[in-house]
Amino acid sequence: MLGTNPIDELVVPDGTTVEEHDLVTDGDVLVGGQSAVELGVRGRNVVAGERVSVDGDIEAEADCRLDMWCEVDGNVLAGQDAYLGERAHITGRLVVGGDLDIGDDVDIEEGFEASGWIVIRNPMPTITFFVMYLTHLLRLGEEEQAQELVDELATDGDLDPLRIPRSASVSDDAWRVSTPATIGDDCRLHGNIRATAIDVGRDNNIFGSLRAQDEVVVGPGTKIHGDVTTRDGDVTVEDDAVVLGDVSGRDVEIHEDAEVDGVIRATGEMRLGSGADRDPE
């Protein structure tokens, strides 16, 4: 969310699942402003921009930071510190394991508790705070500490964060973004995925269809419970992938060990063969 790497695409890291209407990942969760997440969220650090709505509980193993005008239809649990911007609204209860920094006109319908300090004021937005703190470190010549801060915000160890771009809509029915989408490996997701381009990794199980404007790639061993379609791009279905629906695109390449239950349509070339699968990491 800082520097030259804004949330400019939907990124679902390896091992992410949807469990009983909760979006669950081992790393951090970053949600761009004005997005609607019609699921609960569970992760390490959970950070949401302005006017984000979450229809379910938020469980953050570490910190939880919700900017101004955020709406949470459920409880919020933070294992460490929590920040709530002004006019945030939580229909349930807020429980914080560390310090709580809370803005003006925040509404927590079932009350809150914190094990550390409670500061009630009008704190600055999350991004502004990070930028000012980083600028202060650089002015003091603390380049190493500043780099550590950026690295800590960017990743949680070796885990990539789950990144949901601005104005996205995520639900059991559909994941809709106006950016590219990248799905990692070993994920189990519910909902149709709509994006400008879609790249799905290995051994995923997606209970929905894929639809994009540009290229769509279905990785080895992945199962798609629906159609795979693109308006202007190519489609690649790699080895041992299964598509329980139709496949359509400009140029379509289907690996000889892949399975497509529906109709294959190509406005350009259609290739059936071994292809050039992605190299294992």
Side-chain angles (χ1 to χ4, degrees):
M1 300 180 73
L2 290 174
T4 59
N5 294 302
I7 307 179
D8 55 0
E9 64 175 318
L10 171 66
V11 177
V12 181
D14 298 349
T16 299
T17 60
V18 174
E19 303 174 6
E20 296 181 353
H21 304 292
D22 284 343
L23 182 56
V24 181
T25 186
D26 291 332
D28 297 343
V29 179
L30 308 178
V31 184
Q34 301 183 23
S35 292
V37 181
E38 298 179 23
L39 299 164
V41 176
R42 283 189 271 163
R44 179 165 172 76
N45 295 290
V46 177
V47 180
E50 295 181 13
R51 298 181 184 273
V52 168
S53 64
V54 178
D55 291 347
D57 296 340
I58 294 178
E59 297 182 24
E61 181 183 345
D63 296 346
C64 179
R65 300 184 67 87
L66 307 177
D67 260 345
M68 298 180 292
W69 299 95
C70 281
E71 295 270 349
V72 180
D73 188 8
N75 302 309
V76 176
L77 172 64
Q80 296 180 14
D81 300 335
Y83 158 98
L84 270 68
E86 63 176 307
R87 294 181 172 83
H89 178 211
I90 299 173
T91 64
R93 186 168 181 80
L94 171 65
V95 179
V96 181
D99 299 335
L100 172 61
D101 195 347
I102 190 170
D104 293 338
D105 298 322
V106 170
D107 183 10
I108 306 170
E109 294 187 9
E110 297 185 11
F112 64 90
E113 60 181 271
S115 299
W117 292 95
I118 300 175
V119 179
I120 301 176
R121 57 191 174 103
N122 189 13
M124 67 183 67
T126 301
I127 299 302
T128 304
F129 170 78
F130 286 147
V131 171
M132 291 184 64
Y133 183 41
L134 185 61
T135 302
H136 179 67
L137 290 175
L138 293 174
R139 285 177 178 172
L140 294 177
E142 300 288 348
E143 289 87 358
E144 184 176 347
Q145 188 174 352
Q147 186 61 51
E148 290 177 357
L149 173 64
V150 173
D151 292 342
E152 182 179 350
L153 293 174
T155 61
D156 176 26
D158 294 330
L159 298 176
D160 290 331
L162 170 62
R163 290 178 284 174
I164 299 175
R166 183 179 181 85
S167 302
S169 175
V170 177
S171 70
D172 268 339
D173 177 64
W175 300 49
R176 293 185 175 91
V177 298
S178 56
T179 66
T182 300
I183 313 297
D185 303 333
D186 300 306
C187 297
R188 180 183 174 90
L189 306 178
H190 293 261
N192 304 309
I193 298 177
R194 307 287 184 258
T196 57
I198 303 173
D199 187 349
V200 182
R202 297 173 174 270
D203 301 319
N204 297 288
N205 204 355
I206 299 179
F207 294 87
S209 61
L210 308 180
R211 181 182 299 170
Q213 297 173 358
D214 300 320
E215 184 181 27
V216 179
V217 177
V218 179
T222 286
K223 190 172 187 177
I224 307 296
H225 297 253
D227 299 332
V228 176
T229 61
T230 173
R231 187 174 66 188
D232 301 316
D234 302 335
V235 177
T236 302
V237 181
E238 298 183 353
D239 64 297
D240 296 323
V242 177
V243 178
L244 301 177
D246 299 340
V247 173
S248 62
R250 186 175 55 193
D251 294 344
V252 176
E253 181 174 351
I254 309 293
H255 193 280
E256 61 185 358
D257 294 328
E259 178 183 340
V260 177
D261 281 3
V263 177
I264 302 174
R265 300 182 181 90
T267 58
E269 296 183 0
M270 183 168 63
R271 297 184 294 275
L272 302 177
S274 58
D277 297 327
R278 67 185 75 193
D279 295 329
E281 296 180 356

